[in-house]
Protein backbone atom coordinates (compact mmCIF):
# COMPACT_ATOMS: atom_id res chain seq x y z
CA UNK A 1 0.00 0.00 0.00
CA UNK A 2 1.39 3.40 -0.96
CA UNK A 3 2.04 6.36 1.32
CA UNK A 4 -0.73 8.25 -0.48
CA UNK A 5 -3.52 5.75 0.24
CA UNK A 6 -2.50 5.53 3.90
CA UNK A 7 -2.38 9.31 4.19
CA UNK A 8 -5.79 9.79 2.55
CA UNK A 9 -7.44 7.29 4.90
CA UNK A 10 -5.75 8.80 7.97
CA UNK A 11 -6.49 12.38 6.87
CA UNK A 12 -10.21 11.81 6.28
CA UNK A 13 -10.67 9.83 9.49
CA UNK A 14 -8.83 12.46 11.49
CA UNK A 15 -10.67 15.35 9.85
CA UNK A 16 -14.07 14.05 10.99
CA UNK A 17 -12.87 13.50 14.55
CA UNK A 18 -11.06 16.85 14.73
CA UNK A 19 -14.19 18.67 13.55
CA UNK A 20 -16.12 17.22 16.48
CA UNK A 21 -13.23 17.96 18.86
CA UNK A 22 -13.06 21.56 17.64
CA UNK A 23 -16.73 22.08 18.46
CA UNK A 24 -15.94 21.14 22.06
CA UNK A 25 -12.81 23.28 22.24
CA UNK A 26 -14.65 26.27 20.76
CA UNK A 27 -17.41 26.06 23.36
CA UNK A 28 -14.83 25.83 26.15
CA UNK A 29 -12.76 28.68 24.70
CA UNK A 30 -15.75 31.01 24.60
CA UNK A 31 -16.47 30.12 28.24
CA UNK A 32 -13.00 30.37 29.82
CA UNK A 33 -10.75 31.80 27.08
CA UNK A 34 -8.68 30.41 24.24
CA UNK A 35 -5.46 30.10 26.25
CA UNK A 36 -6.89 27.63 28.77
CA UNK A 37 -8.87 25.72 26.14
CA UNK A 38 -5.79 25.31 23.96
CA UNK A 39 -3.67 24.25 26.94
CA UNK A 40 -6.15 21.48 27.79
CA UNK A 41 -6.27 20.42 24.13
CA UNK A 42 -2.48 20.26 23.85
CA UNK A 43 -2.34 18.08 26.96
CA UNK A 44 -4.80 15.65 25.32
CA UNK A 45 -2.79 15.67 22.08
CA UNK A 46 0.38 14.89 24.06
CA UNK A 47 -1.36 11.85 25.54
CA UNK A 48 -2.44 10.74 22.07
CA UNK A 49 1.11 11.15 20.75
CA UNK A 50 2.45 8.99 23.60
CA UNK A 51 -0.24 6.38 22.94
CA UNK A 52 0.69 6.34 19.25
CA UNK A 53 4.35 5.67 20.02
CA UNK A 54 3.44 3.02 22.58
CA UNK A 55 0.86 1.34 20.36
CA UNK A 56 3.14 1.23 17.34
CA UNK A 57 5.99 -0.18 19.43
CA UNK A 58 3.77 -2.75 21.13
CA UNK A 59 2.34 -4.12 17.87
CA UNK A 60 5.74 -4.06 16.16
CA UNK A 61 7.18 -6.05 19.08
CA UNK A 62 4.84 -8.98 18.36
CA UNK A 63 7.09 -11.64 16.94
CA UNK A 64 4.52 -13.39 14.79
CA UNK A 65 3.59 -11.26 11.77
CA UNK A 66 0.32 -13.08 11.19
CA UNK A 67 -0.85 -12.51 14.76
CA UNK A 68 -0.11 -8.78 14.47
CA UNK A 69 -1.88 -8.67 11.10
CA UNK A 70 -4.90 -10.49 12.54
CA UNK A 71 -5.17 -8.12 15.53
CA UNK A 72 -4.95 -5.07 13.27
CA UNK A 73 -7.47 -6.56 10.86
CA UNK A 74 -10.02 -7.20 13.61
CA UNK A 75 -9.64 -3.68 14.97
CA UNK A 76 -10.20 -2.23 11.50
CA UNK A 77 -13.21 -4.46 10.87
CA UNK A 78 -14.86 -3.27 14.08
CA UNK A 79 -14.01 0.37 13.41
CA UNK A 80 -15.10 0.31 9.77
CA UNK A 81 -18.32 -1.57 10.54
CA UNK A 82 -19.22 0.99 13.22
CA UNK A 83 -18.69 3.95 10.90
CA UNK A 84 -20.41 2.35 7.91
CA UNK A 85 -23.42 1.24 9.98
CA UNK A 86 -23.87 4.78 11.31
CA UNK A 87 -23.53 6.28 7.84
CA UNK A 88 -26.11 3.85 6.42
CA UNK A 89 -28.57 4.54 9.25
CA UNK A 90 -28.20 8.30 8.80
CA UNK A 91 -28.30 8.09 5.02
CA UNK A 92 -31.53 6.10 5.19
CA UNK A 93 -33.11 8.53 7.64
CA UNK A 94 -33.24 5.98 10.46
CA UNK A 95 -30.97 8.16 12.55
CA UNK A 96 -30.65 11.96 12.47
CA UNK A 97 -27.55 13.45 10.87
CA UNK A 98 -24.94 14.69 13.29
CA UNK A 99 -25.42 18.44 13.77
CA UNK A 100 -22.32 20.30 14.94
CA UNK A 101 -24.28 23.52 15.48
CA UNK A 102 -26.75 21.74 17.76
CA UNK A 103 -23.94 19.98 19.62
CA UNK A 104 -22.20 23.33 20.12
CA UNK A 105 -25.36 24.98 21.43
CA UNK A 106 -26.01 22.12 23.87
CA UNK A 107 -22.46 22.15 25.19
CA UNK A 108 -22.37 25.94 25.49
CA UNK A 109 -25.43 25.78 27.75
CA UNK A 110 -23.94 23.02 29.89
CA UNK A 111 -23.24 23.71 33.54
CA UNK A 112 -19.89 21.94 33.14
CA UNK A 113 -18.44 25.06 31.51
CA UNK A 114 -19.36 27.33 34.40
CA UNK A 115 -16.21 26.48 36.35
CA UNK A 116 -12.68 26.87 34.95
CA UNK A 117 -11.24 23.49 35.91
CA UNK A 118 -14.38 21.69 34.85
CA UNK A 119 -14.33 23.43 31.47
CA UNK A 120 -10.67 22.55 30.93
CA UNK A 121 -11.48 18.93 31.75
CA UNK A 122 -14.28 19.00 29.15
CA UNK A 123 -11.80 20.23 26.50
CA UNK A 124 -9.19 17.63 27.53
CA UNK A 125 -11.65 14.74 27.47
CA UNK A 126 -13.27 15.91 24.24
CA UNK A 127 -10.00 16.05 22.32
CA UNK A 128 -8.75 12.81 23.89
CA UNK A 129 -11.89 10.78 23.22
CA UNK A 130 -12.35 12.07 19.67
CA UNK A 131 -8.66 11.52 19.01
CA UNK A 132 -8.66 7.89 20.14
CA UNK A 133 -10.17 6.78 16.84
CA UNK A 134 -7.51 8.80 15.03
CA UNK A 135 -4.89 7.04 17.15
CA UNK A 136 -6.34 3.63 16.23
CA UNK A 137 -6.23 4.32 12.50
CA UNK A 138 -2.76 5.86 12.58
CA UNK A 139 -1.33 2.90 14.49
CA UNK A 140 -3.22 0.19 12.60
CA UNK A 141 -2.58 1.49 9.09
CA UNK A 142 0.89 2.76 9.91
CA UNK A 143 2.26 -0.41 11.50
CA UNK A 144 0.70 -2.78 8.98
CA UNK A 145 2.00 -0.86 5.96
CA UNK A 146 5.23 0.46 7.44
CA UNK A 147 4.05 4.06 6.97
CA UNK A 148 3.37 5.14 10.55
CA UNK A 149 5.10 8.49 10.02
CA UNK A 150 3.00 9.18 6.91
CA UNK A 151 -0.25 8.29 8.71
CA UNK A 152 0.68 10.47 11.69
CA UNK A 153 1.63 13.35 9.39
CA UNK A 154 -1.75 13.12 7.64
CA UNK A 155 -3.59 13.18 10.97
CA UNK A 156 -1.60 16.24 12.06
CA UNK A 157 -2.30 17.92 8.73
CA UNK A 158 -6.03 17.32 9.20
CA UNK A 159 -5.80 18.83 12.68
CA UNK A 160 -4.07 21.95 11.37
CA UNK A 161 -6.60 22.38 8.55
CA UNK A 162 -9.58 22.03 10.90
CA UNK A 163 -8.05 24.37 13.47
CA UNK A 164 -7.19 26.99 10.85
CA UNK A 165 -10.67 27.00 9.30
CA UNK A 166 -12.45 26.80 12.63
CA UNK A 167 -10.39 29.58 14.22
CA UNK A 168 -10.98 31.82 11.23
CA UNK A 169 -14.74 31.22 11.31
CA UNK A 170 -15.05 31.15 15.12
CA UNK A 171 -18.02 28.83 14.61
CA UNK A 172 -18.71 25.07 14.53
CA UNK A 173 -17.84 23.46 11.19
CA UNK A 174 -21.40 22.40 10.51
CA UNK A 175 -21.06 22.27 6.71
CA UNK A 176 -18.49 19.47 6.61
CA UNK A 177 -20.16 16.48 4.85
CA UNK A 178 -19.45 14.25 7.82
CA UNK A 179 -21.80 11.41 6.90
CA UNK A 180 -20.46 11.17 3.35
CA UNK A 181 -16.89 11.06 4.66
CA UNK A 182 -17.82 8.45 7.26
CA UNK A 183 -19.46 6.31 4.59
CA UNK A 184 -16.36 6.42 2.37
CA UNK A 185 -13.88 5.90 5.20
CA UNK A 186 -16.03 3.12 6.67
CA UNK A 187 -15.95 1.27 3.34
CA UNK A 188 -12.19 1.77 3.01
CA UNK A 189 -11.37 0.67 6.56
CA UNK A 190 -13.64 -2.37 6.24
CA UNK A 191 -11.79 -3.28 3.04
CA UNK A 192 -8.39 -3.07 4.75
CA UNK A 193 -9.69 -5.04 7.74
CA UNK A 194 -11.20 -7.77 5.57
CA UNK A 195 -8.06 -8.04 3.45
CA UNK A 196 -5.63 -8.30 6.37
CA UNK A 197 -7.80 -10.52 8.59
CA UNK A 198 -8.32 -13.15 5.90
CA UNK A 199 -4.68 -12.90 4.83
CA UNK A 200 -3.63 -13.55 8.44
CA UNK A 201 -5.83 -16.65 8.45
CA UNK A 202 -3.99 -17.96 5.39
CA UNK A 203 -6.27 -16.88 2.55
CA UNK A 204 -4.41 -16.00 -0.63
CA UNK A 205 -6.07 -13.08 -2.38
CA UNK A 206 -6.11 -13.83 -6.14
CA UNK A 207 -5.25 -10.25 -7.13
CA UNK A 208 -2.96 -9.47 -4.21
CA UNK A 209 -3.15 -5.82 -3.13
CA UNK A 210 -5.36 -5.11 -6.14
CA UNK A 211 -8.16 -6.94 -4.31
CA UNK A 212 -8.53 -3.86 -2.07
CA UNK A 213 -10.30 -1.72 -4.73
CA UNK A 214 -12.68 -4.63 -5.40
CA UNK A 215 -13.47 -4.89 -1.68
CA UNK A 216 -13.97 -1.13 -1.51
CA UNK A 217 -16.44 -1.28 -4.39
CA UNK A 218 -18.24 -4.22 -2.80
CA UNK A 219 -18.79 -2.42 0.50
CA UNK A 220 -19.71 0.87 -1.19
CA UNK A 221 -22.31 -0.70 -3.47
CA UNK A 222 -23.65 -2.82 -0.63
CA UNK A 223 -23.94 0.23 1.62
CA UNK A 224 -25.77 2.24 -1.02
CA UNK A 225 -28.17 -0.64 -1.63
CA UNK A 226 -28.88 -0.89 2.10
CA UNK A 227 -29.55 2.85 2.29
CA UNK A 228 -31.99 2.55 -0.59
CA UNK A 229 -33.66 -0.52 0.91
CA UNK A 230 -34.11 1.08 4.34
CA UNK A 231 -35.36 4.34 2.85
CA UNK A 232 -38.35 2.73 1.14
CA UNK A 233 -40.11 1.38 4.27
CA UNK A 234 -39.49 4.68 6.05
CA UNK A 235 -40.95 6.63 3.13
CA UNK A 236 -43.99 4.35 2.96
CA UNK A 237 -44.56 4.65 6.71
CA UNK A 238 -44.46 8.44 6.45
CA UNK A 239 -47.33 8.50 3.94
Amino acid sequence: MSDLSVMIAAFLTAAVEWVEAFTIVLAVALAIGWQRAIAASLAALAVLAALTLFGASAISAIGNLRIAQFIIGIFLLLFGLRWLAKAIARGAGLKPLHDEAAAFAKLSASAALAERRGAMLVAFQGVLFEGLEVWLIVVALGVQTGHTAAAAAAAIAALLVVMAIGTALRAPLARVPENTIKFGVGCAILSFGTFWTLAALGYQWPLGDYSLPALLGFYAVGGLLLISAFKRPAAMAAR
Side-chain angles (χ1 to χ4, degrees), residues 87-184:
I88 290 172
R90 287 172 175 166
L94 302 178
K95 186 176 181 178
L97 293 172
H98 183 73
D99 189 338
E100 287 300 326
F104 174 77
K106 181 179 180 180
L107 181 58
S108 297
S110 172
L113 302 188
E115 195 269 329
R116 185 183 68 184
R117 290 184 180 179
M120 291 183 70
L121 182 60
V122 169
F124 176 84
Q125 290 179 335
V127 174
L128 180 63
F129 292 158
E130 297 297 344
L132 283 176
E133 292 190 349
V134 179
W135 163 76
L136 171 62
I137 292 302
V138 168
V139 171
L141 291 181
V143 171
Q144 177 60 33
T145 62
H147 300 311
T148 303
I156 293 172
L159 173 63
L160 295 176
V161 169
V162 169
M163 287 299 296
I165 297 174
T167 303
L169 295 176
R170 295 294 180 97
L173 303 179
R175 294 188 179 183
V176 173
E178 179 182 336
N179 204 56
T180 301
I181 295 175
K182 279 195 170 185
F183 181 87

